[in-house]
Amino acid sequence: MPPDPEEHSDPAFTSASLAAEAALLEARLRMLQEEIDQTDAGIETLSHTLRLLHRDASALADPPDGARHCDSSG
């Protein structure tokens, strides 16, 4: 909206201006939603990878019973 409401008192102009602004905002909203979706997918992929790495690290740190090797001779 212009600073002076009397400057553009034509309702058709105001409607067209608001419609154009709404279209731009909707396009920007779609772009942001796509970026959020991509970020969510990246977070999910990273979380999955971290869970796998944690599981693998835990398996290496805690071998099953009887699988530990003793270095001392006895």
Side-chain angles (χ1 to χ4, degrees):
M1 294 291 281
D4 182 8
E6 297 299 318
E7 186 177 327
H8 292 291
S9 59
D10 180 16
F13 174 83
T14 301
S15 295
S17 176
L18 290 174
E21 186 174 353
L24 288 172
L25 290 171
E26 287 176 354
R28 182 66 179 143
L29 179 62
R30 280 192 302 275
M31 289 172 47
L32 290 171
Q33 187 61 53
E34 289 173 5
E35 290 176 15
I36 289 170
D37 291 344
Q38 290 174 356
T39 301
D40 284 346
I43 289 170
E44 184 59 35
T45 299
L46 183 58
S47 294
H48 178 71
T49 301
L50 289 172
R51 282 191 298 272
L52 291 175
L53 289 172
H54 179 72
R55 184 194 69 196
D56 292 347
S58 294
L60 289 174
D62 297 326
D65 290 340
R68 293 185 184 199
H69 297 286
C70 184
D71 289 337
S72 64
S73 54

